[in-house]
Amino acid sequence: MNEQAASAFLTTEAGTIRLVQTAKDTGERLAEQPRLSFRADENGHESQLINIYDDISYQTIEGFGGALTEASAVTIAKMSPARQQEIIDAYFDPEKGIGYTLCRSHIQSCDFSLGNYAYVEDGDDELATFTVEHDREQILPLIRRAAQKAGREFKLFSSPWSPPPFMKTNGQMNQGGQLKPEYRQAWADMFVKYVQAYEAEGVKIWALSVQNEAKAVQTWDSCVYTAEEEKDFVRDHLGPALQQAGYGHIKVMIWDHNKERVYERAVAAFTDPEASKQIWGICFHWYSGDHFEALSAVHDRFPDKALFFSEGCQEGGVQLGSWATGERYGHDILGNLNHWTTGWTDWNIVLDERGGPNHVGNFCDAPIIADTTTDEITYESSFYYIAHFSRYIRPGAVRIGSSRYTDKLEQTAFRNPDGTIALVVLNRTDAELPYVVRHRGQLADSSIPAHAIQTLLFR
């Protein structure tokens, strides 16, 4: 990672703005720029403004992070000890890393596993054979390593891709299928056993989602729930099972799929009073497009429910050096945050030189690509674009009001728990764009290069 990143936590000074920049066709990656100075807003300057309204507050941030999959764990384990430590530090070191504190893992296998596996033997209705022994080899060690480095703010949420084959209508973990009604309670009990087993391994589960991509029939591990089936499962089985086992504090999220149907799924679940009591929020992916307004629609109708981004990645295998990937991340994170999203998790934190391993060939890109043949690491543009949010918008930060003079710029602003304001500015155009930060009767002149992202920090 760029050596300049080590200066990320330098303190802000009164009357000045720290400016951190990542820009295409330069060597600037999380690079500190000369500090900006505020001046009095005395001349009625009205053009090129980015306004900050810090007396307006919106949602509070849970954190940022990525998925600790078996693919990531296996890939990291193949690297030299020095490279392994570099990866862990890059993501999770609270001073030198990019501030990850919120991570996702999978319950049983997913496509980014080495193959299909379940925690119980086939046909075990009583769950007597339940074990997370498979996870002890690679997944749990990675989770513990990340948690230790991140410190006390670390949170883990987990999602299933499929119940065991015998519990499903199609008799296999892949190709969709549905949970058989007679196994709803047993499947809910498996969630509880998973939480208990991980707790026994020293890993606490902060939240659960009911089903990854609840509408998708995939060639890999998948299971389909209608909106009614999902909310009924939580209301009648999963919620009560967690409560009875003493895990009522664990947050439950529904949907875990794309944004285009997030509102309809929210309505189905949250208008059922008993189901709604059991559900903390709704989580979503990015693969069907922006649909940011759908998030605001959910918030407007159900303001007490959390909106949570649970997965996104660049599909189609490794795309080394692509700048468009980083810009895709920047645009989507900004749009989600500006429409009430409270937490954000990327997909695999690390993949190998092919964009795997993946047991059905569904290769993707990741912010860090580790070449297991040469022991080399590549930090993709997405790593730095994510960092402009995750490093500087800390858990507990509150979104505040902001506006900009042109839609050629994208921006969001947060007030951190220490009082520092973090303003993120994105320019996806081919031209440098000027702007003037206006805050509490003061102005600061700045500009952003073409295809760049900046984070500005001030009080």
Side-chain angles (χ1 to χ4, degrees), residues 423-457:
L423 167 65
V424 182
V425 182
L426 174 67
N427 178 9
R428 294 188 292 155
T429 76
D430 294 332
E432 180 177 4
L433 294 172
Y435 64 90
V436 180
V437 179
R438 181 171 175 265
H439 176 240
R440 292 191 174 186
Q442 293 185 306
L443 304 176
D445 300 297
S446 189
S447 65
I448 182 170
H451 298 289
I453 187 169
Q454 297 175 335
T455 303
L456 292 81
L457 300 160

PDB file of all heavy atoms in Angstrom, residues 423-457:
ATOM      1  N   LEU A 423     -15.756  15.084   4.418  1.00  0.00           N
ATOM      2  CA  LEU A 423     -16.455  15.370   3.163  1.00  0.00           C
ATOM      3  C   LEU A 423     -15.781  14.561   2.063  1.00  0.00           C
ATOM      4  O   LEU A 423     -14.581  14.697   1.846  1.00  0.00           O
ATOM      5  CB  LEU A 423     -16.383  16.865   2.844  1.00  0.00           C
ATOM      6  CG  LEU A 423     -16.791  17.308   1.428  1.00  0.00           C
ATOM      7  CD1 LEU A 423     -18.260  17.035   1.169  1.00  0.00           C
ATOM      8  CD2 LEU A 423     -16.456  18.786   1.219  1.00  0.00           C
ATOM      9  N   VAL A 424     -16.544  13.706   1.393  1.00  0.00           N
ATOM     10  CA  VAL A 424     -16.015  12.916   0.277  1.00  0.00           C
ATOM     11  C   VAL A 424     -16.553  13.496  -1.022  1.00  0.00           C
ATOM     12  O   VAL A 424     -17.760  13.709  -1.168  1.00  0.00           O
ATOM     13  CB  VAL A 424     -16.399  11.436   0.396  1.00  0.00           C
ATOM     14  CG1 VAL A 424     -15.785  10.627  -0.752  1.00  0.00           C
ATOM     15  CG2 VAL A 424     -15.954  10.862   1.738  1.00  0.00           C
ATOM     16  N   VAL A 425     -15.630  13.767  -1.971  1.00  0.00           N
ATOM     17  CA  VAL A 425     -15.992  14.353  -3.265  1.00  0.00           C
ATOM     18  C   VAL A 425     -15.497  13.429  -4.373  1.00  0.00           C
ATOM     19  O   VAL A 425     -14.330  13.011  -4.361  1.00  0.00           O
ATOM     20  CB  VAL A 425     -15.374  15.757  -3.427  1.00  0.00           C
ATOM     21  CG1 VAL A 425     -15.797  16.368  -4.767  1.00  0.00           C
ATOM     22  CG2 VAL A 425     -15.790  16.672  -2.278  1.00  0.00           C
ATOM     23  N   LEU A 426     -16.379  13.130  -5.332  1.00  0.00           N
ATOM     24  CA  LEU A 426     -16.056  12.225  -6.434  1.00  0.00           C
ATOM     25  C   LEU A 426     -16.247  12.948  -7.757  1.00  0.00           C
ATOM     26  O   LEU A 426     -17.263  13.611  -7.981  1.00  0.00           O
ATOM     27  CB  LEU A 426     -16.975  10.994  -6.384  1.00  0.00           C
ATOM     28  CG  LEU A 426     -16.889   9.991  -7.543  1.00  0.00           C
ATOM     29  CD1 LEU A 426     -15.546   9.288  -7.558  1.00  0.00           C
ATOM     30  CD2 LEU A 426     -18.035   8.974  -7.439  1.00  0.00           C
ATOM     31  N   ASN A 427     -15.261  12.803  -8.645  1.00  0.00           N
ATOM     32  CA  ASN A 427     -15.339  13.356  -9.995  1.00  0.00           C
ATOM     33  C   ASN A 427     -15.110  12.225 -10.990  1.00  0.00           C
ATOM     34  O   ASN A 427     -13.997  11.718 -11.113  1.00  0.00           O
ATOM     35  CB  ASN A 427     -14.285  14.453 -10.186  1.00  0.00           C
ATOM     36  CG  ASN A 427     -14.278  15.037 -11.594  1.00  0.00           C
ATOM     37  OD1 ASN A 427     -15.160  14.763 -12.406  1.00  0.00           O
ATOM     38  ND2 ASN A 427     -13.263  15.847 -11.892  1.00  0.00           N
ATOM     39  N   ARG A 428     -16.167  11.828 -11.699  1.00  0.00           N
ATOM     40  CA  ARG A 428     -16.043  10.764 -12.707  1.00  0.00           C
ATOM     41  C   ARG A 428     -15.948  11.324 -14.119  1.00  0.00           C
ATOM     42  O   ARG A 428     -16.007  10.558 -15.088  1.00  0.00           O
ATOM     43  CB  ARG A 428     -17.239   9.814 -12.602  1.00  0.00           C
ATOM     44  CG  ARG A 428     -17.297   9.020 -11.303  1.00  0.00           C
ATOM     45  CD  ARG A 428     -18.394   7.959 -11.345  1.00  0.00           C
ATOM     46  NE  ARG A 428     -19.730   8.555 -11.368  1.00  0.00           N
ATOM     47  CZ  ARG A 428     -20.812   7.960 -11.868  1.00  0.00           C
ATOM     48  NH1 ARG A 428     -20.708   6.763 -12.449  1.00  0.00           N
ATOM     49  NH2 ARG A 428     -21.984   8.561 -11.833  1.00  0.00           N
ATOM     50  N   THR A 429     -15.781  12.632 -14.263  1.00  0.00           N
ATOM     51  CA  THR A 429     -15.721  13.241 -15.590  1.00  0.00           C
ATOM     52  C   THR A 429     -14.279  13.297 -16.102  1.00  0.00           C
ATOM     53  O   THR A 429     -13.325  12.998 -15.377  1.00  0.00           O
ATOM     54  CB  THR A 429     -16.295  14.670 -15.565  1.00  0.00           C
ATOM     55  OG1 THR A 429     -15.348  15.568 -14.966  1.00  0.00           O
ATOM     56  CG2 THR A 429     -17.602  14.715 -14.794  1.00  0.00           C
ATOM     57  N   ASP A 430     -14.126  13.750 -17.351  1.00  0.00           N
ATOM     58  CA  ASP A 430     -12.808  13.842 -17.980  1.00  0.00           C
ATOM     59  C   ASP A 430     -12.119  15.181 -17.724  1.00  0.00           C
ATOM     60  O   ASP A 430     -11.032  15.421 -18.257  1.00  0.00           O
ATOM     61  CB  ASP A 430     -12.935  13.646 -19.488  1.00  0.00           C
ATOM     62  CG  ASP A 430     -13.381  12.238 -19.861  1.00  0.00           C
ATOM     63  OD1 ASP A 430     -13.090  11.302 -19.085  1.00  0.00           O
ATOM     64  OD2 ASP A 430     -14.032  12.092 -20.917  1.00  0.00           O
ATOM     65  N   ALA A 431     -12.734  16.050 -16.938  1.00  0.00           N
ATOM     66  CA  ALA A 431     -12.178  17.394 -16.717  1.00  0.00           C
ATOM     67  C   ALA A 431     -11.983  17.672 -15.231  1.00  0.00           C
ATOM     68  O   ALA A 431     -12.754  17.201 -14.388  1.00  0.00           O
ATOM     69  CB  ALA A 431     -13.106  18.450 -17.304  1.00  0.00           C
ATOM     70  N   GLU A 432     -10.941  18.450 -14.927  1.00  0.00           N
ATOM     71  CA  GLU A 432     -10.777  18.938 -13.562  1.00  0.00           C
ATOM     72  C   GLU A 432     -11.937  19.876 -13.232  1.00  0.00           C
ATOM     73  O   GLU A 432     -12.372  20.668 -14.066  1.00  0.00           O
ATOM     74  CB  GLU A 432      -9.451  19.689 -13.422  1.00  0.00           C
ATOM     75  CG  GLU A 432      -9.198  20.232 -12.023  1.00  0.00           C
ATOM     76  CD  GLU A 432      -7.840  20.903 -11.894  1.00  0.00           C
ATOM     77  OE1 GLU A 432      -7.132  21.012 -12.928  1.00  0.00           O
ATOM     78  OE2 GLU A 432      -7.487  21.323 -10.779  1.00  0.00           O
ATOM     79  N   LEU A 433     -12.442  19.786 -12.007  1.00  0.00           N
ATOM     80  CA  LEU A 433     -13.589  20.603 -11.612  1.00  0.00           C
ATOM     81  C   LEU A 433     -13.250  21.419 -10.358  1.00  0.00           C
ATOM     82  O   LEU A 433     -12.822  20.846  -9.346  1.00  0.00           O
ATOM     83  CB  LEU A 433     -14.809  19.721 -11.328  1.00  0.00           C
ATOM     84  CG  LEU A 433     -15.384  18.972 -12.528  1.00  0.00           C
ATOM     85  CD1 LEU A 433     -16.453  17.994 -12.079  1.00  0.00           C
ATOM     86  CD2 LEU A 433     -15.953  19.950 -13.556  1.00  0.00           C
ATOM     87  N   PRO A 434     -13.457  22.733 -10.396  1.00  0.00           N
ATOM     88  CA  PRO A 434     -13.226  23.554  -9.215  1.00  0.00           C
ATOM     89  C   PRO A 434     -14.419  23.467  -8.262  1.00  0.00           C
ATOM     90  O   PRO A 434     -15.545  23.155  -8.684  1.00  0.00           O
ATOM     91  CB  PRO A 434     -13.108  24.963  -9.793  1.00  0.00           C
ATOM     92  CG  PRO A 434     -14.008  24.933 -10.987  1.00  0.00           C
ATOM     93  CD  PRO A 434     -13.890  23.539 -11.562  1.00  0.00           C
ATOM     94  N   TYR A 435     -14.181  23.739  -7.008  1.00  0.00           N
ATOM     95  CA  TYR A 435     -15.281  23.876  -6.050  1.00  0.00           C
ATOM     96  C   TYR A 435     -14.790  24.672  -4.845  1.00  0.00           C
ATOM     97  O   TYR A 435     -13.582  24.834  -4.622  1.00  0.00           O
ATOM     98  CB  TYR A 435     -15.837  22.517  -5.616  1.00  0.00           C
ATOM     99  CG  TYR A 435     -14.875  21.629  -4.862  1.00  0.00           C
ATOM    100  CD1 TYR A 435     -14.776  21.686  -3.467  1.00  0.00           C
ATOM    101  CD2 TYR A 435     -14.069  20.704  -5.532  1.00  0.00           C
ATOM    102  CE1 TYR A 435     -13.902  20.864  -2.769  1.00  0.00           C
ATOM    103  CE2 TYR A 435     -13.197  19.880  -4.849  1.00  0.00           C
ATOM    104  CZ  TYR A 435     -13.113  19.966  -3.464  1.00  0.00           C
ATOM    105  OH  TYR A 435     -12.250  19.155  -2.782  1.00  0.00           O
ATOM    106  N   VAL A 436     -15.742  25.183  -4.087  1.00  0.00           N
ATOM    107  CA  VAL A 436     -15.449  25.965  -2.891  1.00  0.00           C
ATOM    108  C   VAL A 436     -16.236  25.367  -1.735  1.00  0.00           C
ATOM    109  O   VAL A 436     -17.464  25.281  -1.791  1.00  0.00           O
ATOM    110  CB  VAL A 436     -15.841  27.444  -3.078  1.00  0.00           C
ATOM    111  CG1 VAL A 436     -15.533  28.247  -1.811  1.00  0.00           C
ATOM    112  CG2 VAL A 436     -15.130  28.050  -4.282  1.00  0.00           C
ATOM    113  N   VAL A 437     -15.528  24.915  -0.714  1.00  0.00           N
ATOM    114  CA  VAL A 437     -16.200  24.392   0.477  1.00  0.00           C
ATOM    115  C   VAL A 437     -16.731  25.564   1.300  1.00  0.00           C
ATOM    116  O   VAL A 437     -15.983  26.507   1.604  1.00  0.00           O
ATOM    117  CB  VAL A 437     -15.241  23.546   1.338  1.00  0.00           C
ATOM    118  CG1 VAL A 437     -15.963  23.038   2.594  1.00  0.00           C
ATOM    119  CG2 VAL A 437     -14.685  22.379   0.533  1.00  0.00           C
ATOM    120  N   ARG A 438     -17.994  25.512   1.642  1.00  0.00           N
ATOM    121  CA  ARG A 438     -18.604  26.559   2.469  1.00  0.00           C
ATOM    122  C   ARG A 438     -19.161  25.933   3.741  1.00  0.00           C
ATOM    123  O   ARG A 438     -20.002  25.042   3.699  1.00  0.00           O
ATOM    124  CB  ARG A 438     -19.727  27.244   1.695  1.00  0.00           C
ATOM    125  CG  ARG A 438     -20.424  28.373   2.454  1.00  0.00           C
ATOM    126  CD  ARG A 438     -21.349  29.119   1.500  1.00  0.00           C
ATOM    127  NE  ARG A 438     -22.138  30.129   2.192  1.00  0.00           N
ATOM    128  CZ  ARG A 438     -23.385  29.911   2.656  1.00  0.00           C
ATOM    129  NH1 ARG A 438     -23.956  28.734   2.499  1.00  0.00           N
ATOM    130  NH2 ARG A 438     -24.049  30.883   3.265  1.00  0.00           N
ATOM    131  N   HIS A 439     -18.653  26.414   4.886  1.00  0.00           N
ATOM    132  CA  HIS A 439     -19.040  25.836   6.174  1.00  0.00           C
ATOM    133  C   HIS A 439     -19.028  26.914   7.244  1.00  0.00           C
ATOM    134  O   HIS A 439     -18.000  27.551   7.476  1.00  0.00           O
ATOM    135  CB  HIS A 439     -18.068  24.707   6.558  1.00  0.00           C
ATOM    136  CG  HIS A 439     -18.325  24.118   7.910  1.00  0.00           C
ATOM    137  ND1 HIS A 439     -17.384  24.128   8.916  1.00  0.00           N
ATOM    138  CD2 HIS A 439     -19.424  23.499   8.412  1.00  0.00           C
ATOM    139  CE1 HIS A 439     -17.881  23.543   9.989  1.00  0.00           C
ATOM    140  NE2 HIS A 439     -19.117  23.143   9.709  1.00  0.00           N
ATOM    141  N   ARG A 440     -20.154  27.139   7.846  1.00  0.00           N
ATOM    142  CA  ARG A 440     -20.282  28.073   8.967  1.00  0.00           C
ATOM    143  C   ARG A 440     -19.675  29.446   8.675  1.00  0.00           C
ATOM    144  O   ARG A 440     -18.853  29.965   9.444  1.00  0.00           O
ATOM    145  CB  ARG A 440     -19.658  27.486  10.229  1.00  0.00           C
ATOM    146  CG  ARG A 440     -20.416  26.280  10.779  1.00  0.00           C
ATOM    147  CD  ARG A 440     -19.948  25.898  12.155  1.00  0.00           C
ATOM    148  NE  ARG A 440     -20.783  24.843  12.718  1.00  0.00           N
ATOM    149  CZ  ARG A 440     -20.671  24.389  13.967  1.00  0.00           C
ATOM    150  NH1 ARG A 440     -19.734  24.906  14.765  1.00  0.00           N
ATOM    151  NH2 ARG A 440     -21.466  23.441  14.414  1.00  0.00           N
ATOM    152  N   GLY A 441     -20.048  30.001   7.547  1.00  0.00           N
ATOM    153  CA  GLY A 441     -19.604  31.341   7.209  1.00  0.00           C
ATOM    154  C   GLY A 441     -18.172  31.439   6.753  1.00  0.00           C
ATOM    155  O   GLY A 441     -17.606  32.535   6.699  1.00  0.00           O
ATOM    156  N   GLN A 442     -17.570  30.301   6.385  1.00  0.00           N
ATOM    157  CA  GLN A 442     -16.200  30.293   5.888  1.00  0.00           C
ATOM    158  C   GLN A 442     -16.134  29.562   4.556  1.00  0.00           C
ATOM    159  O   GLN A 442     -16.942  28.667   4.276  1.00  0.00           O
ATOM    160  CB  GLN A 442     -15.254  29.629   6.890  1.00  0.00           C
ATOM    161  CG  GLN A 442     -15.088  30.404   8.195  1.00  0.00           C
ATOM    162  CD  GLN A 442     -14.037  29.748   9.075  1.00  0.00           C
ATOM    163  OE1 GLN A 442     -14.117  28.559   9.374  1.00  0.00           O
ATOM    164  NE2 GLN A 442     -13.049  30.523   9.482  1.00  0.00           N
ATOM    165  N   LEU A 443     -15.143  29.945   3.750  1.00  0.00           N
ATOM    166  CA  LEU A 443     -14.937  29.352   2.435  1.00  0.00           C
ATOM    167  C   LEU A 443     -13.520  28.814   2.320  1.00  0.00           C
ATOM    168  O   LEU A 443     -12.582  29.359   2.917  1.00  0.00           O
ATOM    169  CB  LEU A 443     -15.150  30.397   1.334  1.00  0.00           C
ATOM    170  CG  LEU A 443     -16.486  31.144   1.283  1.00  0.00           C
ATOM    171  CD1 LEU A 443     -16.445  32.197   0.179  1.00  0.00           C
ATOM    172  CD2 LEU A 443     -17.640  30.170   1.048  1.00  0.00           C
ATOM    173  N   ALA A 444     -13.379  27.757   1.509  1.00  0.00           N
ATOM    174  CA  ALA A 444     -12.047  27.234   1.188  1.00  0.00           C
ATOM    175  C   ALA A 444     -12.057  26.808  -0.269  1.00  0.00           C
ATOM    176  O   ALA A 444     -12.909  26.013  -0.691  1.00  0.00           O
ATOM    177  CB  ALA A 444     -11.676  26.069   2.090  1.00  0.00           C
ATOM    178  N   ASP A 445     -11.124  27.342  -1.057  1.00  0.00           N
ATOM    179  CA  ASP A 445     -11.059  27.072  -2.495  1.00  0.00           C
ATOM    180  C   ASP A 445     -10.322  25.766  -2.763  1.00  0.00           C
ATOM    181  O   ASP A 445      -9.274  25.497  -2.183  1.00  0.00           O
ATOM    182  CB  ASP A 445     -10.326  28.211  -3.201  1.00  0.00           C
ATOM    183  CG  ASP A 445     -11.020  29.544  -2.996  1.00  0.00           C
ATOM    184  OD1 ASP A 445     -12.170  29.683  -3.444  1.00  0.00           O
ATOM    185  OD2 ASP A 445     -10.418  30.437  -2.363  1.00  0.00           O
ATOM    186  N   SER A 446     -10.876  24.988  -3.693  1.00  0.00           N
ATOM    187  CA  SER A 446     -10.249  23.715  -4.037  1.00  0.00           C
ATOM    188  C   SER A 446     -10.648  23.309  -5.444  1.00  0.00           C
ATOM    189  O   SER A 446     -11.412  24.003  -6.132  1.00  0.00           O
ATOM    190  CB  SER A 446     -10.643  22.631  -3.031  1.00  0.00           C
ATOM    191  OG  SER A 446      -9.886  21.456  -3.234  1.00  0.00           O
ATOM    192  N   SER A 447     -10.126  22.176  -5.883  1.00  0.00           N
ATOM    193  CA  SER A 447     -10.522  21.565  -7.149  1.00  0.00           C
ATOM    194  C   SER A 447     -10.205  20.083  -7.063  1.00  0.00           C
ATOM    195  O   SER A 447      -9.443  19.637  -6.197  1.00  0.00           O
ATOM    196  CB  SER A 447      -9.767  22.201  -8.325  1.00  0.00           C
ATOM    197  OG  SER A 447      -8.381  21.934  -8.234  1.00  0.00           O
ATOM    198  N   ILE A 448     -10.802  19.333  -7.962  1.00  0.00           N
ATOM    199  CA  ILE A 448     -10.576  17.890  -8.001  1.00  0.00           C
ATOM    200  C   ILE A 448     -10.229  17.491  -9.425  1.00  0.00           C
ATOM    201  O   ILE A 448     -10.911  17.884 -10.375  1.00  0.00           O
ATOM    202  CB  ILE A 448     -11.804  17.115  -7.477  1.00  0.00           C
ATOM    203  CG1 ILE A 448     -11.542  15.599  -7.482  1.00  0.00           C
ATOM    204  CG2 ILE A 448     -13.070  17.455  -8.243  1.00  0.00           C
ATOM    205  CD1 ILE A 448     -12.616  14.791  -6.742  1.00  0.00           C
ATOM    206  N   PRO A 449      -9.149  16.713  -9.615  1.00  0.00           N
ATOM    207  CA  PRO A 449      -8.761  16.301 -10.966  1.00  0.00           C
ATOM    208  C   PRO A 449      -9.822  15.408 -11.615  1.00  0.00           C
ATOM    209  O   PRO A 449     -10.721  14.878 -10.953  1.00  0.00           O
ATOM    210  CB  PRO A 449      -7.462  15.517 -10.734  1.00  0.00           C
ATOM    211  CG  PRO A 449      -6.973  15.938  -9.391  1.00  0.00           C
ATOM    212  CD  PRO A 449      -8.200  16.245  -8.595  1.00  0.00           C
ATOM    213  N   ALA A 450      -9.695  15.246 -12.920  1.00  0.00           N
ATOM    214  CA  ALA A 450     -10.543  14.287 -13.629  1.00  0.00           C
ATOM    215  C   ALA A 450     -10.354  12.894 -13.040  1.00  0.00           C
ATOM    216  O   ALA A 450      -9.245  12.522 -12.637  1.00  0.00           O
ATOM    217  CB  ALA A 450     -10.193  14.282 -15.111  1.00  0.00           C
ATOM    218  N   HIS A 451     -11.422  12.131 -12.965  1.00  0.00           N
ATOM    219  CA  HIS A 451     -11.380  10.739 -12.503  1.00  0.00           C
ATOM    220  C   HIS A 451     -10.599  10.618 -11.203  1.00  0.00           C
ATOM    221  O   HIS A 451      -9.585   9.924 -11.113  1.00  0.00           O
ATOM    222  CB  HIS A 451     -10.793   9.842 -13.591  1.00  0.00           C
ATOM    223  CG  HIS A 451     -11.605   9.837 -14.843  1.00  0.00           C
ATOM    224  ND1 HIS A 451     -12.831   9.233 -14.942  1.00  0.00           N
ATOM    225  CD2 HIS A 451     -11.380  10.436 -16.065  1.00  0.00           C
ATOM    226  CE1 HIS A 451     -13.323   9.401 -16.157  1.00  0.00           C
ATOM    227  NE2 HIS A 451     -12.483  10.131 -16.857  1.00  0.00           N
ATOM    228  N   ALA A 452     -11.104  11.306 -10.197  1.00  0.00           N
ATOM    229  CA  ALA A 452     -10.443  11.314  -8.893  1.00  0.00           C
ATOM    230  C   ALA A 452     -11.483  11.285  -7.775  1.00  0.00           C
ATOM    231  O   ALA A 452     -12.671  11.575  -7.985  1.00  0.00           O
ATOM    232  CB  ALA A 452      -9.557  12.557  -8.750  1.00  0.00           C
ATOM    233  N   ILE A 453     -11.007  10.959  -6.601  1.00  0.00           N
ATOM    234  CA  ILE A 453     -11.830  10.992  -5.385  1.00  0.00           C
ATOM    235  C   ILE A 453     -11.004  11.657  -4.290  1.00  0.00           C
ATOM    236  O   ILE A 453      -9.784  11.453  -4.210  1.00  0.00           O
ATOM    237  CB  ILE A 453     -12.316   9.594  -4.978  1.00  0.00           C
ATOM    238  CG1 ILE A 453     -13.303   9.673  -3.802  1.00  0.00           C
ATOM    239  CG2 ILE A 453     -11.163   8.652  -4.694  1.00  0.00           C
ATOM    240  CD1 ILE A 453     -14.019   8.359  -3.518  1.00  0.00           C
ATOM    241  N   GLN A 454     -11.663  12.457  -3.479  1.00  0.00           N
ATOM    242  CA  GLN A 454     -10.994  13.169  -2.394  1.00  0.00           C
ATOM    243  C   GLN A 454     -11.796  12.996  -1.104  1.00  0.00           C
ATOM    244  O   GLN A 454     -13.022  12.885  -1.124  1.00  0.00           O
ATOM    245  CB  GLN A 454     -10.896  14.673  -2.695  1.00  0.00           C
ATOM    246  CG  GLN A 454     -10.077  15.035  -3.911  1.00  0.00           C
ATOM    247  CD  GLN A 454     -10.125  16.523  -4.212  1.00  0.00           C
ATOM    248  OE1 GLN A 454     -11.080  17.214  -3.850  1.00  0.00           O
ATOM    249  NE2 GLN A 454      -9.115  17.025  -4.908  1.00  0.00           N
ATOM    250  N   THR A 455     -11.078  13.009   0.007  1.00  0.00           N
ATOM    251  CA  THR A 455     -11.699  13.153   1.315  1.00  0.00           C
ATOM    252  C   THR A 455     -11.106  14.384   1.976  1.00  0.00           C
ATOM    253  O   THR A 455      -9.881  14.535   2.023  1.00  0.00           O
ATOM    254  CB  THR A 455     -11.483  11.917   2.212  1.00  0.00           C
ATOM    255  OG1 THR A 455     -11.987  10.757   1.545  1.00  0.00           O
ATOM    256  CG2 THR A 455     -12.202  12.096   3.537  1.00  0.00           C
ATOM    257  N   LEU A 456     -11.983  15.262   2.449  1.00  0.00           N
ATOM    258  CA  LEU A 456     -11.571  16.492   3.125  1.00  0.00           C
ATOM    259  C   LEU A 456     -11.984  16.389   4.581  1.00  0.00           C
ATOM    260  O   LEU A 456     -13.115  15.983   4.900  1.00  0.00           O
ATOM    261  CB  LEU A 456     -12.222  17.728   2.482  1.00  0.00           C
ATOM    262  CG  LEU A 456     -11.762  18.088   1.063  1.00  0.00           C
ATOM    263  CD1 LEU A 456     -12.468  17.236   0.019  1.00  0.00           C
ATOM    264  CD2 LEU A 456     -12.002  19.561   0.774  1.00  0.00           C
ATOM    265  N   LEU A 457     -11.065  16.746   5.469  1.00  0.00           N
ATOM    266  CA  LEU A 457     -11.288  16.606   6.909  1.00  0.00           C
ATOM    267  C   LEU A 457     -11.082  17.947   7.592  1.00  0.00           C
ATOM    268  O   LEU A 457     -10.040  18.583   7.419  1.00  0.00           O
ATOM    269  CB  LEU A 457     -10.326  15.562   7.483  1.00  0.00           C
ATOM    270  CG  LEU A 457     -10.464  14.161   6.870  1.00  0.00           C
ATOM    271  CD1 LEU A 457      -9.195  13.354   7.111  1.00  0.00           C
ATOM    272  CD2 LEU A 457     -11.676  13.445   7.437  1.00  0.00           C
TER     273      LEU A 457
END
